[in-house]
Amino acid sequence: FDKQGEIDSVIASVSDITENETSKIKLKQSLKEQEVLMQEIHHRVKNNLAVISGLLQIQRFNSDDDRLNKALESSEMRIKSMALIHEKLYQAESLSEIDFKYYIQDLVNAVVSTLDVSSKISADYYCESMYLNVNQAIPTALILNELLYNAAEHAFTDQDEGKIEVTLKQTNGRVYLTVHDNGKGLPDSFFKGETTSMGSTIIQALISQLDAEFKAEN
């Protein structure tokens, strides 16, 4: 401004931001492509697991060996529990983690509907929102599958009705996942360490993988 307060001159600075804007556009496109690719990967993994599950089911239908059929059925459920994780990831806004709260009910329904006891089992849920990444969600899902499958198959053989209760909560920086049932309880051999079932072996391996702790009680 001059002494009279009028504009005397103007200094202007101009920057060419074309390159920056072009880079931003390319980055957005790249992120979108990666997102679509991750969705497709989760979708294909889910479909491939569903095919494997279907093959086991066909083999089970064509077998008269009860022991073999039980082994196939439990393997089928383990595969379904993993496929369900990928389905939830495919549907989630974040492709790297899921709210495990919304997974639990679907898994309980899947396990119970697989067995012949679906009409006599009811389930209650007391679950907080809990976001787990893929490396946490799949081992946790497999552990939950083993506990639910064991409860649904063995806990209510001496009663007309049964209830399964699943709790998921976070306290003091730790996540607690609990499965209760009002069935006949675990045998003494379980607490003496004499049980060497496939389910127990899988749970112990996954507990170690998650750096977690496992506690059972009647």
Side-chain angles (χ1 to χ4, degrees), residues 38-94:
M38 284 301 296
Q39 279 186 317
E40 181 64 19
I41 288 171
H42 286 308
H43 187 59
R44 290 194 180 192
V45 169
K46 184 204 78 169
N47 287 347
N48 288 341
L49 289 170
V51 170
I52 296 170
S53 177
L55 292 172
L56 290 176
Q57 192 175 48
I58 291 171
Q59 190 174 1
R60 183 160 54 88
F61 288 159
N62 291 327
S63 170
D64 296 324
D65 187 329
D66 290 340
R67 186 175 178 182
L68 173 61
N69 287 341
K70 281 296 179 186
L72 291 171
E73 184 179 70
S74 57
S75 295
E76 193 181 322
M77 275 312 308
R78 290 168 189 136
I79 293 168
K80 282 183 178 179
S81 67
M82 289 188 286
L84 194 55
I85 287 287
H86 288 281
E87 181 179 344
K88 292 296 182 186
L89 285 166
Y90 173 72
Q91 296 170 347
E93 290 183 11
S94 169

Side-chain angles (χ1 to χ4, degrees), residues 24-40:
K24 285 181 182 178
I25 292 170
K26 288 182 178 178
L27 181 59
K28 285 182 180 179
Q29 289 175 337
S30 177
L31 289 172
K32 184 63 179 176
E33 288 170 1
Q34 288 184 34
E35 186 178 303
V36 171
L37 179 61
M38 284 301 296
Q39 279 186 317
E40 181 64 19

